[in-house]
Amino acid sequence: MQMPFCWDKRSPAHAPADNHVAINGTVVVSCHLGLSSPGKTTTLRLFSTTQMDPNTGKGKLSPEAPLRSGKKTKAKQGAVKTTTMTYQVTFFVDADFGTPGAVVVKSGLRNDHFFLRHVQVHMPEAGRTIHFECNSWVYPFKKTNADRVFFINTSYLPDKTPEALRLLRDEELRSLRGSGRGELKDWERVYDYDLYNDLGNPDKEEHARPVLGGITSVYPYPRRCRTGRPLFKTDGATETRKHMINLDFYIPPDERFSPTKLAEVLTLAVQAVTHFVLPESKALFHGNINSFRSLEQLKGDLYRKPVVDGQVVMDKLKTSVPSHKTYKQVSKMVKETPVKFPIPQVIQNEPEAWRSDEEFAREMLAGLNPVVIKRLEVFPPVSRGGKQSSITAAHIERQGQLEGRTVHKALDEKRLYILDHHDYLMPYLRRINTQEQGVCVYASRTLLFLKDDGTLKPLVIELSLPSDGAGADGEISRVFLPASPGTTDGHLWWLAKAHVSVNDSGYHQLISHCRLFTHATVEPFIIATKRQLSAMHPIHKLLEPHFKDNMQINTLARSILLSAGGILERTMFPGKYAMEMSSAIYSEWRFTEQSLPNDLVKRGMASSSNKDHLHLHVEDYPYAVDGMDVWRAIDGWVRSYCAHFYHSDAAVAADAELQAWWHDVRTVGHGDRQRDRACWLDLDTVANLVESLSTLIWIASALHAAVNFGQYGYAGFMPNRPTRCRRFVPLPGSPEMAQLEADPDRFFLDTVPDRFTTTLGLTLIEVLSNHTSDELYLGQRATASWTDDGEVLQLLDRFRDDLRRVEKRVTERNKDLRLKNRKGPAKVPYTLLFPDVGNVGAKEKGITGKGIPNSVSI
């Protein structure tokens, strides 16, 4: 490891010639957690932005200048500790060199790489300091055979780029696209597309999985970033990882976790694995590896037991940690971390409220998956094939369930709603139930009524299975109605609700959150942005914070969560059909429907006479109410930002880089959805650009926050959100019905996930629900120097002010006792869309249940 060096501090390397001037600058490098520092042969050069070199077609290039006078600085902002080295540099340039527009860095290190934060050069005659925001890894020239180029923090549309920088701008983009061939090394910065072909192992029949994606594929899917790494053996179509958990994979260097975040994520992983080891070891010791014996035992084993030594897990992890200093940091953090699962919010204040129908329904509006419920527009519900539901008017008009209304009157008044997990599941049920050992799953429909007090009341649950007859489309359905607890019908209703929660949990993890609608949707936009939009492009600068860490998270997910036999297959009911089912749902995905206003209208939860006015049919819908406040703030920020750079629709249409970016997204990154014209807006007006960018930022920030950071709060108590069932609902007169009536709690625990699955699932959602210390929240930027445009910085300040007003309104709503869905019977306030813009330097981190990070960062 290179040590910080220090040269003669008394003077620059040499004095300027008579026709030269000296330009002084500073270079800041991160050096905490074992990072390398630049070597003595690392040099910098400047490109002029105003003076051309006729021989190269680029700006004039200064002679090489070495670094000197390294000074270490330690800083702490909130929970974030950083250590940097600041070096001095002096460039000697011709008197007519002009204004620098790019800096070239050449690393003379043999093997190590360093993280360059920024470079500043001081122009006393012009009365300004020029800033080059870098935040990038610099590898040795002997490996890259190319210098690194960083541009000034001024934004330029392509046709406004100074002539001296145009060729450099084009060359940088071409290098980032790569050749599309060969193995990619750690130091290569290449952004290319690939299929989801690394999830299975064709050499093991039980781990064979279809390749997802491809224009002619029967399994459409978004593209991922190409790895091109010999970590895999291949059958020509499928890449297979040598190990299930593998931290040694290629992603472009600038997409990797910071050393601080890597240490924290590894600490969370050790903590989660230790949590898993403790309950499982106790279960083995007591000879009980299947079910919890009681709900009290479940709570005691998971949340109340003493800690266990996490160092055992650290010893296993040692070979996977990138550096010894990172390992020591993780080990220190593990020792400071209590090794037991925290008590989930849903049982903190009212331990039994999760059982109630009111809480069951409220979580459809304010829980961890509030994006599925729809307004019922046709009764009875009808499948896509035209088959009517077995639910009748008599089921829901009984005993004043509709407060004196008929079904049709309730429909007309927009009072009936449905949680529909039927059509997309029916084609998979036979395979899931016959090939997935120990899994018993239905397709479900849950109808709800909007009461006068603004809350939802469950009316009926329909559970369906494919019939055994010759008809491929036949199905057998059972209908369950609310009933008093303690009765046989009450026990059956409880089990029916559990099966609905299983459906919703699977949809949430595979579609709403972990893969399709957030993580997987965003990655093609990242690749296209790096390939087609220069770092100087204003839209690149707008989007950059919303891409942070997404690609590394996705790569880890493919290795650990989504792979054949991975955590999701082991804990979620679809099992090995999970990604295939996700692909089927993606076949109908439309980007134009992902904005919050359009999504609410599509689901019938709102109506709109124009884009500026949206009427919610459930007025106390916390996700939608808070979400629309956040959406308006995002839309206002994006609208003002785009108007600053694009003064006409023609300017948008004429932006060659922007059009290439949109073409890349539509025809390659999301190429499997290019034939659906309704999937995309044409990027030919400022208005369409604003809506598309606002939608992308909404997905990466607020939508992800809404479906991610409440996971532990609600699903951390498994009985509230089971992920699979092991028994069907018993039939009248069966032995299973007698067991249910004799001990309903034990029957319930024998139905929902076993100890192993429960504990494994908790280890996952505990990690996913955490905010790390380097989190940047909506409205925040890593530095104030990301742009030199004062007007843009004022617009960003206005955006932060809008978000602070959103925070105030969220807080006020949570105090309003008339809004019963804000807290519900469990008394969990809805804060998932509280922006937390003032949480600078992660003053609050961990499982907070609030805060909207800029990006899909975990």
Side-chain angles (χ1 to χ4, degrees):
M1 189 70 67
Q2 291 281 336
M3 296 300 293
F5 57 92
C6 185
W7 293 315
D8 189 352
K9 299 181 180 180
R10 292 170 295 178
S11 62
H14 55 82
D18 291 342
N19 63 335
H20 285 67
V21 296
I23 299 177
N24 294 313
T26 55
V27 178
V28 178
V29 174
S30 292
C31 60
H32 56 291
L33 286 182
L35 294 182
S36 299
S37 297
K40 292 183 179 181
T41 53
T42 295
T43 60
L44 282 73
R45 306 175 83 180
L46 294 175
F47 271 107
S48 174
T49 193
T50 53
Q51 298 297 318
M52 293 283 293
D53 182 337
N55 297 318
T56 64
K58 305 174 186 175
K60 282 189 174 183
L61 185 62
S62 74
E64 292 184 337
L67 304 178
R68 66 181 192 279
S69 307
K71 180 180 178 181
K72 180 178 286 190
T73 303
K74 293 184 178 181
K76 182 177 181 180
Q77 185 179 42
V80 182
K81 297 178 182 178
T82 60
T83 305
T84 58
M85 291 291 293
T86 301
Y87 302 94
Q88 305 301 312
V89 62
T90 300
F91 303 93
F92 297 105
V93 299
D94 294 339
D96 63 350
F97 182 81
T99 304
V103 61
V104 180
V105 183
K106 182 176 182 179
S107 171
L109 294 174
R110 292 186 177 182
N111 294 304
D112 291 330
H113 51 288
F114 61 91
F115 191 81
L116 181 59
R117 298 279 293 272
H118 66 257
V119 177
Q120 288 185 334
V121 294
H122 312 293
M123 310 289 292
E125 293 184 3
R128 64 179 292 202
T129 295
I130 296 176
H131 185 91
F132 301 92
E133 191 74 9
C134 305
N135 290 318
S136 183
W137 297 98
V138 178
Y139 280 81
F141 180 85
K142 64 174 287 188
K143 290 184 175 181
T144 63
N145 291 317
D147 300 331
R148 282 298 310 276
V149 176
F150 298 99
F151 293 104
I152 191 173
N153 64 341
T154 303
S155 297
Y156 294 110
L157 293 173
D159 62 346
K160 304 295 184 183
T161 307
E163 189 67 29
L165 297 181
R166 290 192 177 186
L167 191 54
L168 276 176
R169 181 174 182 147
D170 291 342
E171 287 178 350
E172 175 76 355
L173 284 175
R174 283 198 298 272
S175 71
L176 291 170
R177 293 173 196 142
S179 65
R181 300 184 301 274
E183 174 189 344
L184 294 173
K185 306 294 186 182
D186 284 341
W187 52 85
E188 293 188 89
R189 298 167 59 241
V190 173
Y191 293 82
D192 201 1
Y193 299 98
D194 208 344
L195 310 176
Y196 274 68
N197 56 4
D198 59 344
L199 302 178
N201 183 348
D203 295 337
K204 295 182 179 180
E205 184 177 352
E206 69 274 17
H207 285 171
R209 299 292 182 270
V211 173
L212 304 184
I215 301 299
T216 61
S217 174
V218 295
Y219 301 111
Y221 216 67
R223 300 298 182 267
R224 65 174 178 92
C225 193
R226 182 173 76 90
T227 57
R229 200 61 176 263
L231 294 171
F232 312 103
K233 48 189 177 180
T234 179
D235 64 353
T238 304
E239 291 183 347
T240 304
R241 301 181 184 274
K242 291 181 179 179
H243 308 287
M244 176 185 164
I245 298 179
N246 190 351
L247 299 180
D248 184 17
F249 43 69
Y250 172 83
I251 60 171
D254 292 348
E255 308 305 322
R256 297 174 194 159
F257 289 160
S258 69
T260 300
K261 179 156 186 173
L262 178 61
E264 286 192 43
V265 169
L266 289 174
T267 301
L268 289 171
V270 171
Q271 177 184 349
V273 171
T274 307
H275 291 174
F276 174 72
V277 169
L278 178 61
E280 282 310 299
S281 62
K282 287 182 176 294
L284 291 171
F285 179 77
H286 291 292
N288 180 7
I289 61 173
N290 291 319
S291 300
F292 294 99
R293 293 189 301 273
S294 68
L295 290 168
E296 279 307 306
Q297 185 209 29
L298 180 151
K299 294 176 183 178
D301 282 1
L302 295 180
Y303 313 121
R304 299 171 187 157
K305 295 298 182 180
V307 301
V308 69
D309 186 7
Q311 194 58 43
V312 175
V313 184
M314 281 302 305
D315 292 341
K316 298 286 186 183
L317 188 67
K318 193 168 187 177
T319 57
S320 299
V321 177
S323 74
H324 180 65
K325 287 191 175 182
T326 301
Y327 174 81
K328 288 177 63 177
Q329 177 72 9
V330 173
S331 184
K332 179 175 179 288
M333 293 166 75
V334 165
K335 291 177 181 178
E336 296 171 351
T337 304
V339 185
K340 63 177 180 179
F341 287 119
I343 299 175
Q345 280 180 293
V346 75
I347 59 170
Q348 274 182 5
N349 299 316
E350 296 291 339
E352 296 300 314
W354 64 275
R355 293 177 181 261
S356 70
D357 289 355
E358 293 84 354
E359 181 63 22
F360 173 70
R362 186 194 76 91
E363 290 181 20
M364 300 178 197
L365 301 173
L368 60 85
N369 194 32
V371 296
V372 180
I373 187 171
K374 299 185 293 186
R375 182 166 57 84
L376 187 66
E377 300 186 33
V378 176
F379 185 87
V382 179
S383 299
R384 289 176 186 171
K387 179 178 174 57
Q388 283 191 348
S389 163
S390 58
I391 300 172
T392 67
H395 287 131
I396 61 177
E397 289 178 347
R398 67 188 186 97
Q399 299 175 355
Q401 292 295 300
L402 302 183
E403 297 180 350
R405 297 169 180 83
T406 64
V407 169
H408 296 295
K409 179 69 171 175
L411 280 175
D412 290 342
E413 293 181 0
K414 299 179 174 55
R415 294 272 191 150
L416 292 181
Y417 294 82
I418 182 170
L419 189 71
D420 193 346
H421 292 294
H422 181 276
D423 285 4
Y424 73 91
L425 274 177
M426 284 302 297
Y428 293 93
L429 289 186
R430 196 182 306 276
R431 284 183 287 169
I432 291 173
N433 287 329
T434 57
Q435 297 188 34
E436 289 294 322
Q437 185 176 7
V439 175
C440 299
V441 63
Y442 298 95
S444 67
R445 292 185 177 109
T446 305
L447 269 57
L448 306 104
F449 174 71
L450 178 62
K451 297 166 60 179
D452 289 339
D453 66 0
T455 63
L456 290 176
K457 175 172 62 175
L459 298 171
V460 61
I461 291 173
E462 178 189 57
L463 301 181
S464 302
L465 290 170
S467 66
D468 294 329
D473 296 329
E475 60 185 70
I476 301 172
S477 298
R478 295 177 65 186
V479 173
F480 300 88
L481 302 174
S484 300
T487 65
T488 298
D489 286 342
H491 303 331
L492 292 173
W493 174 248
W494 185 24
L495 292 178
K497 289 196 296 181
H499 278 278
V500 171
S501 295
V502 166
N503 288 172
D504 201 57
S505 294
Y507 190 95
H508 164 260
Q509 203 61 271
L510 293 168
I511 309 302
S512 303
H513 168 241
C514 195
R515 291 317 307 151
L516 193 53
F517 288 169
T518 55
H519 286 257
T521 291
V522 171
E523 186 163 353
F525 285 92
I526 301 173
I527 302 169
T529 299
K530 300 292 186 174
R531 288 168 59 87
Q532 303 295 351
L533 294 179
S534 166
M536 289 189 287
H537 199 291
I539 303 305
H540 184 126
K541 290 182 182 294
L542 173 71
L543 293 176
E544 190 168 33
H546 304 291
F547 296 155
K548 179 178 179 288
D549 295 337
N550 176 286
M551 201 173 285
Q552 175 134 31
I553 284 290
N554 286 0
T555 308
L556 280 168
R558 293 198 306 276
S559 175
I560 300 171
L561 305 183
L562 305 174
S563 56
I567 293 179
L568 284 187
E569 287 196 1
R570 295 185 184 200
T571 58
M572 293 291 160
F573 74 86
K576 71 181 194 178
Y577 302 107
M579 295 304 291
E580 182 181 333
M581 193 171 74
S582 179
S583 166
I585 293 172
Y586 177 68
S587 68
E588 299 180 353
W589 173 90
R590 287 175 172 171
F591 183 71
T592 49
E593 295 173 349
Q594 305 310 304
S595 73
L596 181 58
N598 290 351
D599 169 60
L600 292 171
V601 171
K602 178 192 175 186
R603 289 191 283 121
M605 301 302 291
S607 56
S608 176
S609 55
N610 57 67
K611 287 192 175 184
D612 296 325
H613 179 73
L614 198 74
H615 172 69
L616 290 174
H617 300 308
V618 180
E619 294 182 3
D620 184 13
Y621 184 180
Y623 163 74
V625 174
D626 295 358
M628 281 306 301
D629 279 351
V630 174
W631 168 266
R632 293 185 189 100
I634 292 172
D635 183 72
W637 154 239
V638 173
R639 191 172 303 280
S640 60
Y641 185 92
C642 289
H644 182 72
F645 292 99
Y646 296 99
H647 302 143
S648 67
D649 293 340
V652 172
D655 186 335
E657 286 185 10
L658 187 69
Q659 296 303 323
W661 171 73
W662 199 233
H663 183 268
D664 236 32
V665 168
R666 291 183 301 161
T667 65
V668 188
H670 282 284
D672 298 350
R673 299 294 299 126
Q674 64 180 298
R675 295 189 181 95
D676 184 353
R677 288 290 301 163
C679 190
W680 307 97
L681 293 173
D682 291 327
L683 216 58
D684 54 1
T685 65
V686 177
N688 283 359
L689 175 62
V690 169
E691 182 166 349
S692 298
L693 294 174
S694 296
T695 299
L696 178 56
I697 292 172
W698 163 261
I699 293 170
S701 59
L703 176 60
H704 179 259
V707 298
N708 182 70
F709 293 105
Q711 289 191 81
Y712 193 83
Y714 288 103
F717 183 60
M718 177 276 292
N720 187 54
R721 295 284 298 183
T723 57
R724 54 169 58 181
C725 281
R726 294 175 287 153
R727 305 179 81 167
F728 291 115
V729 179
L731 294 169
S734 65
E736 290 80 9
M737 181 67 80
Q739 294 171 15
L740 172 64
E741 291 173 334
D743 192 342
D745 279 11
R746 184 62 185 267
F747 193 95
F748 175 83
L749 290 170
D750 286 341
T751 297
V752 296
D754 59 23
R755 296 182 59 101
F756 177 88
T757 306
T758 296
T759 315
L760 183 61
L762 258 63
T763 65
L764 169 63
I765 62 173
E766 183 188 21
V767 173
L768 295 178
S769 300
N770 268 269
H771 289 288
T772 56
S773 64
D774 70 343
E775 203 90 89
L776 289 174
Y777 294 89
L778 197 60
Q780 296 178 355
R781 291 277 174 155
T783 72
S785 303
W786 65 278
T787 179
D788 65 354
D789 192 322
E791 288 187 39
V792 167
L793 292 175
Q794 289 179 1
L795 295 175
L796 182 59
D797 284 340
R798 191 182 306 165
F799 178 39
R800 292 193 190 104
D801 289 340
D802 288 343
L803 292 173
R804 291 186 185 98
R805 283 188 283 271
V806 173
E807 293 175 356
K808 184 178 179 180
R809 288 194 289 270
V810 169
T811 301
E812 290 172 348
R813 289 177 191 131
N814 284 338
K815 293 178 181 179
D816 190 338
L817 298 180
R818 296 170 298 175
L819 302 176
K820 296 185 177 182
N821 295 324
R822 299 298 304 191
K823 295 181 180 179
K827 292 184 170 54
V828 180
Y830 190 74
T831 56
L832 292 172
L833 288 175
F834 182 92
D836 214 10
V837 70
N839 189 4
V840 179
K843 290 180 291 187
E844 291 185 78
K845 64 175 185 174
I847 301 176
T848 66
K850 66 177 182 178
I852 304 176
N854 274 319
S855 61
V856 181
S857 57
I858 196 163

